Amino acid sequence: MLDAVLTSLWLEVASASVSYAVQARVDTRVRSMEAQATGPDVPPVAGDMDLVPTLGLKFDDGSAVAQVEYAPRISFREATTDPRTEVQHVGRLLADWRPQRGLTLHGTQEFVLGQVNLFTNLPLGGSLDDPLGGDPIPGDTAVDVPIQPLPEGTDSVFFLSSLTTLAAETVWLGRGLSLSGSAGFSASGGLDAAAREAVPFQYGPRGQAALGWSPAPRHTLATTVGVTDSRFSTGARATVSTLTGAWTHRVDRRTSVEVGVGVGVAYSLRATEEPPDEELPGATPAGGRHVGTFQVGVPPEEEPPARLDLLPDLTLAVSHRVPSRVADFNSRVAARVTPFVDRLTGLVYPRADLTLNGTWALGPRVRLSGTGGAAFAVGGAVGDRQVVGGVGASWTVSRWVSLEADTRTAWTRSPDVEAARMVWSATLGLSVRQTGIL
């Protein structure tokens, strides 16, 4: 019996394919620099260079796929003013398994560890960035990610980001019905004391379950239940549970509309106050930002340490495509009002996110993309306001060589800071890639 099992397993492994991908990417970047009130004068513009070697392996036997990728980023920062070297370790592990027809299991592990520039390496809202900090061809995938506030007076921090997810999806319930669920654990933020002053460390579990139904070819209904629990190094805690119903309608071959209506229950605990620093009056564990509850007209000293709020969870999105052999165009406009957990303070409040993405495929080798977005608190809450935007272009010179250019800018206004913050960067990248089968 054991011999038969081992023989079957050996035949399955022997019939699988193992492929590899090796890539080297060089980015040269020009970006803005901020003057620091407590430090020496700095030039307004700085130049960086990033070297990103990537090694990936993929195992595929038809019913199971496993992929591992390691892509460290070696950054030569401020090469013309204050040269220094920063290193990020970036990795990803993906696995898909279809044990039976109609059942799919997923598993992912992603991490970033090292010195991370919070503007040039982390995705902006609605951008097309790789969540691991990589640089895919602009326009490949539009990802709706929250527009995150940037800490004041901070450039690079010693940062950790880890996300572990296990998910399953099945269509066993019947024709047109699908059931999916996921569970995960995330951890991110600064690792040392200086980094935690800028970006507090946060960690916690998350889970989601969704039931989808397609009563007609152009209509899809879905009900989603989700919960996230985040604990911060400042002592803050945020637990958000949401119940949302969504309807997706494909108007025609070019246009589709998505409408979502739901509600969220948010439990938040304010950060533990510490004695203020004599040199920084009013400073708090959130890196100099006041961490009272964002409510209008309520003095901070009278606020309860814990709050329980009922918040809206609304979505309206329109996707449109103009097919063309010369200039294929894809676009998406989305507006959301959702419970938002501020990564700098741990506070939860309703926030509106408006994002716009567009991609033009000018033939098989050239792509142009643009993204823009804005975010602000609603419903009487007070929080950061952000406006972000960027454009990108890529040219596939050959199967192994590609060129990419990217520019982005972000405007941030915090209620605790008198002046608004404006940052920008422009990047030119060259990639050389080799793939094959082992």
Side-chain angles (χ1 to χ4, degrees):
M1 181 65 179
L2 181 58
D3 292 342
V5 172
L6 293 177
T7 301
S8 177
L9 180 61
W10 169 253
L11 291 175
E12 183 176 356
V13 172
S15 63
S17 65
V18 179
S19 58
Y20 71 91
V22 179
Q23 177 176 304
R25 179 182 174 93
V26 178
D27 288 326
T28 55
R29 179 185 302 107
V30 178
R31 60 180 174 86
S32 62
M33 289 276 285
E34 285 190 304
Q36 307 297 324
T38 59
D41 293 337
V42 297
V45 179
D48 304 332
M49 177 176 289
D50 295 341
L51 175 61
V52 187
T54 303
L55 174 62
L57 293 174
K58 183 179 180 180
F59 171 88
D60 187 352
D61 73 343
S63 62
V65 178
Q67 184 173 352
V68 61
E69 182 179 283
Y70 176 59
R73 181 189 294 265
I74 305 170
S75 300
F76 304 97
R77 306 280 297 171
E78 302 174 28
T80 59
T81 57
D82 182 21
R84 65 184 188 274
T85 301
E86 298 175 351
V87 179
Q88 299 173 36
H89 299 279
V90 184
R92 170 192 290 158
L93 175 63
L94 307 175
D96 289 330
W97 182 35
R98 298 175 179 83
Q100 297 182 20
R101 184 176 181 181
L103 176 62
T104 304
L105 303 178
H106 308 276
T108 63
Q109 171 62 55
E110 302 174 351
F111 75 90
V112 177
L113 175 64
Q115 290 289 337
V116 173
N117 182 277
L118 298 176
F119 176 65
T120 58
N121 292 153
L122 295 184
L124 300 174
S127 72
L128 307 178
D129 293 346
D130 189 303
L132 292 181
D135 299 288
I137 296 176
D140 274 0
T141 306
V143 182
D144 288 328
V145 294
I147 302 173
Q148 294 282 9
L150 300 174
E152 300 295 333
T154 302
D155 188 356
S156 295
V157 297
F158 188 48
F159 191 87
L160 167 68
S161 176
S162 174
L163 176 60
T164 305
T165 305
L166 297 176
E169 182 178 1
T170 180
V171 293
W172 288 348
L173 299 180
R175 185 175 182 180
L177 291 172
S178 63
L179 178 64
S180 61
S182 65
F185 187 89
S186 64
S188 65
L191 287 182
D192 55 25
R196 286 196 298 269
E197 284 292 322
V199 184
F201 191 80
Q202 64 181 83
Y203 62 93
R206 60 181 61 191
Q208 179 177 289
L211 177 63
W213 178 42
S214 298
R218 293 189 177 186
H219 299 269
T220 301
L221 301 174
T223 300
T224 304
V225 178
V227 60
T228 61
D229 181 43
S230 300
R231 302 192 180 194
F232 294 76
S233 57
T234 59
R237 181 177 180 179
T239 303
V240 180
S241 302
T242 58
L243 173 62
T244 306
W247 170 59
T248 303
H249 173 56
R250 193 171 73 250
V251 180
D252 52 34
R253 296 179 60 185
R254 299 186 176 189
T255 306
S256 62
V257 178
E258 178 184 349
V259 179
V261 178
V263 65
V265 178
Y267 169 80
S268 58
L269 182 66
R270 286 191 297 136
T272 303
E273 295 285 355
E274 294 180 353
D277 194 318
E278 294 181 359
E279 298 180 358
L280 296 174
T284 70
R289 294 163 54 92
H290 296 285
V291 292
T293 305
F294 286 102
Q295 296 296 322
V296 176
V298 181
E301 62 273 13
E302 297 180 3
E303 295 174 355
R307 293 181 58 91
L308 186 64
D309 299 299
L310 193 64
L311 305 177
D313 190 354
L314 311 173
T315 301
L316 176 61
V318 178
S319 300
H320 183 70
R321 180 187 180 190
V322 181
S324 171
R325 294 183 178 179
V326 179
D328 189 84
F329 175 74
N330 286 273
S331 64
R332 177 180 170 86
V333 180
R336 303 184 64 191
V337 177
T338 58
F340 175 75
V341 180
D342 191 303
R343 74 176 181 183
L344 304 183
T345 64
L347 299 175
V348 185
Y349 54 88
R351 198 183 70 155
D353 288 76
L354 309 175
T355 56
L356 171 65
N357 297 290
T359 303
W360 296 264
L362 306 179
R365 293 181 177 269
V366 179
R367 292 190 180 186
L368 304 176
S369 65
T371 181
F376 49 89
V378 296
V382 178
D384 287 339
R385 291 175 290 164
Q386 301 98 43
V387 178
V388 300
V391 294
S394 70
W395 175 33
T396 304
V397 181
S398 66
R399 183 180 179 183
W400 316 115
V401 180
S402 62
L403 287 171
E404 290 112 38
D406 174 83
T407 62
R408 62 177 63 182
T409 184
W411 178 90
T412 304
R413 183 61 185 269
S414 171
D416 299 325
V417 181
E418 295 182 1
R421 182 187 186 190
M422 186 77 173
V423 291
W424 59 266
S425 71
T427 305
L428 178 64
L430 170 65
S431 298
V432 179
R433 181 181 179 87
Q434 173 70 45
T435 61
I437 301 176
L438 297 178

